Amino acid sequence: MNRANPDPEPGVQHGKRLIPAEEIYRRLYDGIREMNVVLAADVVAALRAARESESPADGTRPQSRTGSPSAPRPAALPGAACFVLDSILENADIAEREQLPMCQDTGFVLVFVEQGHDVRVEGEPLDRIIHRAIADAYRDGRFRNSVVGDPLNNRTNTGTNLPPAIHYDHVDGEHLTIGCLAKGFGSENYSQTRMLKPTAGPNAVVQAVVETMERAGGNCCPPVVLGIGIGGTMDWAARLSKKALLRDLGDHHRDPYYRDLEERIMNAVNGLGIGAGGLGGGTTALGVHIETYPTHIAGLPVAVSVNCWAERKAVVRW
């Protein structure tokens, strides 16, 4: 052995961290299968907290999350919120126990890749690994294939739930993170992007989200999780709003300004009284997550991604 040029350590080549393709495939495959049948622990906890906060008598909540009286809202069906939340939690238990999809709409898969410059995937291009893991997980899990090959002309199902939408971020370091969302379209159909005036301010952002949820009503299968992207361009704000959905509930924005805005939006949406299943009550949203990006001096893009209670997400890290 030439001691001046020793063999690289296992998993390292020319200063790059090597991650085998099959390891990535297996962990992604497992995560994608699991996210469709096991509701994330943070979502289950939020649903249980919502159930405890509702009044069995009339579906109303005595107080808002801030402790002040709830805003006026349409009349609710007696006990409806409790019934819906109990049903959702029971459904989640059955899905996990029987290893069945928690919803018949097993979604369009979005993938967010954060790859360090000092990471190399060994054996197969990363996009092929991702495609293979999705197709195999949906086939083996007997999940519904929900993707058509052409959006307008001859909408024929691809039969594999492919392709996904893959977003890449290249960053410093030697880590690799892959986050997956199975995005159902009952809620996606009510997501919106708005181009606000640059002087609009936070009140206009709150109003944009409230109007989005007023339009959605119970059709988006509330209680929902809201991902909000602010900044960039029209398309970039939408991307941010999807990425925000990967965060755990309770993982608030690191900037106190946006953390407060998340809380304002949460209170405003819950004050609408749409409630679980759209049948009234105090919990319309389980969480609000904001992501931001620099933008042009002449604009204020705001995107709202509406996600139903079945927030199916998997994040795999190396």
Side-chain angles (χ1 to χ4, degrees):
M1 179 185 296
N2 185 345
R3 302 310 300 178
N5 296 286
D7 291 339
E9 298 177 13
V12 178
Q13 186 179 73
H14 305 301
K16 299 281 188 180
R17 179 187 179 190
L18 302 181
I19 304 177
E22 283 307 306
E23 178 184 334
I24 296 173
Y25 165 81
R26 177 51 55 185
R27 292 185 63 188
L28 274 181
Y29 171 92
D30 290 344
I32 292 164
R33 283 201 64 172
E34 181 175 325
M35 74 180 182
N36 274 295
V37 299
V38 179
L39 190 58
D42 60 308
V43 181
V44 172
L47 286 166
R48 287 176 176 159
R51 172 62 179 84
E52 291 175 3
S53 72
E54 295 289 352
S55 168
D58 61 4
T60 65
R61 187 176 58 182
Q63 290 188 327
S64 71
R65 292 177 186 269
T66 59
S68 59
S70 300
R73 58 170 186 77
L77 295 173
C82 294
F83 174 79
V84 172
L85 291 167
D86 284 340
S87 298
I88 289 172
L89 289 166
E90 181 182 9
N91 180 85
D93 287 342
I94 294 171
E96 182 171 358
R97 184 172 65 250
E98 302 293 337
Q99 289 294 286
L100 296 170
M102 66 187 76
C103 177
Q104 77 276 7
D105 182 354
T106 45
F108 182 97
V109 180
L110 296 101
V111 183
F112 291 86
V113 178
E114 188 174 275
Q115 182 172 354
H117 296 305
D118 296 326
V119 170
R120 177 182 165 189
V121 177
E122 186 177 33
E124 188 178 2
L126 184 55
D127 61 335
R128 292 185 189 172
I129 300 170
I130 293 169
H131 279 70
R132 188 158 57 94
I134 293 169
D136 290 354
Y138 273 71
R139 180 198 64 217
D140 297 346
R142 299 180 183 272
F143 303 151
R144 189 184 80 182
N145 294 316
S146 303
V147 177
V148 294
D150 188 288
L152 187 60
N153 180 32
N154 188 21
R155 289 171 59 93
T156 301
N157 198 302
T158 63
T160 57
N161 221 57
L162 298 177
I166 307 176
H167 303 276
Y168 289 93
D169 284 320
H170 295 280
V171 297
D172 290 334
E174 57 176 22
H175 72 276
L176 174 66
T177 301
I178 303 177
C180 298
L181 287 170
K183 189 68 182 71
F185 264 57
S187 56
E188 180 67 7
N189 285 332
Y190 292 94
S191 298
Q192 291 189 0
T193 300
R194 297 194 182 189
M195 302 300 291
L196 302 182
K197 294 180 179 179
T199 56
N203 289 341
V205 174
V206 175
Q207 186 61 28
V209 180
V210 166
E211 289 174 0
T212 297
M213 285 306 301
E214 285 178 328
R215 173 176 172 266
N219 296 314
C220 59
C221 298
V224 299
V225 179
L226 297 173
I228 300 170
I230 304 174
T233 53
M234 178 193 70
D235 57 313
W236 199 262
R239 179 183 186 272
L240 291 172
S241 72
K242 288 295 187 296
K243 189 174 184 180
L245 294 173
L246 285 172
R247 283 163 44 194
D248 286 343
L249 295 177
D251 179 14
H252 301 296
H253 201 284
R254 59 190 175 278
D255 185 329
Y257 178 89
Y258 289 106
R259 188 184 309 130
D260 290 344
L261 186 56
E262 288 174 339
E263 184 176 354
R264 282 186 59 191
I265 293 170
M266 182 87 155
N267 288 332
V269 169
N270 283 333
L272 293 173
I274 295 168
L279 299 178
T283 306
T284 301
L286 297 172
V288 175
H289 294 150
I290 293 174
E291 293 289 336
T292 65
Y293 197 81
T295 193
H296 192 277
I297 58 173
L300 179 59
V302 176
V304 183
S305 280
V306 182
N307 203 93
C308 68
W309 62 265
E311 193 188 28
R312 291 154 297 186
K313 57 191 177 184
V315 180
V316 185
R317 296 181 174 89
W318 286 265

